[in-house]
Amino acid sequence: MPYLIAALLLVGALGALNLLLALGMIRRLREHTKLLDALYEYVGATRTVAPGADARGPSAGDVVGDFTATTVDGLPVARDLLAGPTVVAFLSPDCRGCREQLPELLAWARGQDRQRVLAVVSGRSGDPAELVGSLNPVAQVVVETARTPVADAFRVQAYPLFCVLGEGGVLTAVLPRVSGLPVGTPA
């Protein structure tokens, strides 16, 4: 009988120790989740860069590479078809920063010429349908899934990203937030 009591106490102590360790792990995981969320908000949804590709993201003064794509309305889009200053917004459905800035982007785009606003939605992660539905009335929308010609031409590394494309395919501004976008391409 004393062996049975000792074994029961040992099993109980091991169970309590296991519970304490599990609670400690849960606490640490919550701390790590908060840190990762803060990093995710700061950086956005990072794209991986193909080996040998230019790891530097776009900056003002860069010339955007040639690209061709088709909007969700079936219209062709290419660097040379974008006339005058055009704002190109790169968004991803799983990007928290993209979702937070969407209302501000929509409000800004409502006062612009739809032909001078291009939204490129990544379809690689998450369902792009909600973003496409929101953006299509105020912008030309391209959804990129397996092939990413527009994002590659701009060398996009993180989402959200807002670029102002000037004459000759030269970037005049590259912004992480909607608030710095120029006003002046009225509808």
Side-chain angles (χ1 to χ4, degrees), residues 48-129:
T48 57
V49 179
D54 185 1
R56 184 180 63 88
S59 59
D62 288 351
V63 176
V64 174
D66 287 327
F67 65 86
T68 57
T70 305
T71 67
V72 294
D73 297 330
L75 301 172
V77 176
R79 184 189 75 182
D80 298 332
L81 294 176
L82 299 175
T86 301
V87 172
V88 184
F90 293 92
L91 307 164
S92 177
D94 65 347
C95 167
R96 180 184 298 186
C98 298
R99 288 190 308 271
E100 289 173 356
Q101 291 191 56
L102 183 62
E104 189 177 353
L105 176 61
L106 292 172
W108 175 87
R110 281 187 191 99
Q112 308 303 309
D113 178 0
R114 185 176 184 269
Q115 298 305 312
R116 295 189 187 259
V117 181
L118 175 64
V120 181
V121 179
S122 173
R124 290 181 147 190
S125 59
D127 183 13

Side-chain angles (χ1 to χ4, degrees), residues 47 54-65 88 90 150-158 160-164 171-176:
R47 286 172 37 99
D54 185 1
R56 184 180 63 88
S59 59
D62 288 351
V63 176
V64 174
V88 184
F90 293 92
V150 184
D152 291 344
F154 280 80
R155 293 191 325 268
V156 174
Q157 300 297 315
L161 185 68
F162 305 95
C163 300
V164 180
L171 290 174
T172 59
V174 178
L175 307 162

Side-chain angles (χ1 to χ4, degrees), residues 21-53:
L21 289 174
L23 290 174
M25 276 192 337
I26 290 170
R27 193 175 122 254
R28 286 291 284 187
L29 284 172
R30 284 184 181 156
E31 290 173 11
H32 283 266
T33 300
K34 286 179 186 175
L35 290 172
L36 286 173
D37 283 345
L39 179 65
Y40 187 72
E41 285 177 20
Y42 177 73
V43 174
T46 303
R47 286 172 37 99
T48 57
V49 179

Side-chain angles (χ1 to χ4, degrees), residues 124-145:
R124 290 181 147 190
S125 59
D127 183 13
E130 182 181 340
L131 282 174
V132 171
S134 299
L135 290 164
N136 200 33
V138 296
Q140 300 177 79
V141 180
V142 172
V143 177
E144 294 188 325
T145 53

